[in-house]
Amino acid sequence: MSALKIKKGSTSHSAYDLRDPFAEVMETHTLAVLVDNEAGVLARVIGLFSGRGYNIESLTVAEVDHEGHRSRITVVTTGTAPVIEQIKAQLGRLVPVHDVHDLTVEGPSVERELALFKVSGAGEKRVEALRLADIFRANVVDSTLESFVFEITGTPEKIDAFAELMRPLGLVDVARTGVAALARGA
């Protein structure tokens, strides 16, 4: 601890960079993996992550080419730069994997997530929940006398911000799809 009682590296919002320059920085990357659409492929890809202790923050899978029997797995993961490179290399070596793209480093990309929020409340809290939903462009997809179900689409940060604001208003339940992402441009 320094004489000013500031823990070394305690904030990234400081005018002074107090972080250790030799420490490895954790990065979040969005990987798009094109695979054969057959039984067991998802288990093999996910097994690569779990077997090596890598964390998956978001996972979405859907068929993208019905005639070619191909699916797209979008994985958001966190790690140091060497760990991310190792993940990409190991994914590329799996037999059912046709292509691996790191959307985080390959240029601009679009990321979206869909979420459903159940908010229970009455009186002023109910009105405030509707006001906030309007600001965030969330749709009311179900309504009872005691609760609302909101549908919201946006970046993961937008979904997180909406959740934080709904928590004190009576947030009961959340269902999130995970990140869907595509590279921008040609």
Side-chain angles (χ1 to χ4, degrees):
M1 202 175 287
S2 70
L4 295 175
K5 298 187 188 218
I6 299 173
K7 286 176 71 176
K8 186 172 183 178
S10 64
T11 181
S12 61
H13 303 291
S14 171
Y16 304 100
D17 188 7
L18 301 175
R19 291 172 285 177
D20 182 3
F22 301 108
E24 295 197 41
V25 178
M26 295 296 284
E27 303 171 350
T28 300
H29 284 252
T30 303
L31 306 176
V33 186
L34 190 63
V35 299
D36 289 332
N37 187 16
E38 56 188 39
V41 172
L42 178 61
R44 289 172 69 184
V45 170
I46 300 315
L48 182 145
F49 282 82
S50 64
R52 289 161 181 80
Y54 303 144
N55 188 38
I56 295 174
E57 293 186 13
S58 173
L59 173 70
T60 8
V61 184
E63 184 178 55
V64 293
D65 181 7
H66 186 69
E67 292 177 7
H69 302 289
R70 302 269 170 95
S71 290
R72 179 185 177 100
I73 300 173
T74 305
V75 180
V76 179
T77 188
T78 303
T80 61
V83 166
I84 299 295
E85 288 304 316
Q86 184 179 21
I87 290 171
K88 291 190 299 190
Q90 290 172 347
L91 280 171
R93 284 195 291 269
L94 289 176
V95 172
V97 173
H98 293 280
D99 210 0
V100 178
H101 290 281
D102 187 346
L103 298 176
T104 305
V105 297
E106 290 181 7
S109 63
V110 177
E111 293 186 1
R112 291 293 179 267
E113 186 173 2
L114 171 77
L116 297 174
F117 290 86
K118 183 188 280 185
V119 179
S120 178
E124 190 58 36
K125 286 188 176 186
R126 191 170 168 88
V127 173
E128 184 62 20
L130 284 171
R131 279 190 210 128
L132 287 171
D134 187 46
I135 291 168
F136 277 82
R137 296 188 177 128
N139 299 316
V140 177
V141 293
D142 185 53
S143 178
T144 67
L145 294 174
E146 298 85 29
S147 67
F148 289 113
V149 175
F150 296 109
E151 172 190 73
I152 184 169
T153 306
T155 63
E157 294 80 15
K158 178 182 176 181
I159 306 292
D160 292 340
F162 188 70
E164 285 305 311
L165 291 172
M166 287 295 155
R167 200 161 270 116
L169 299 177
L171 182 62
V172 176
D173 204 1
V174 179
R176 296 174 77 154
T177 60
V179 174
L182 283 176
R184 294 185 64 204

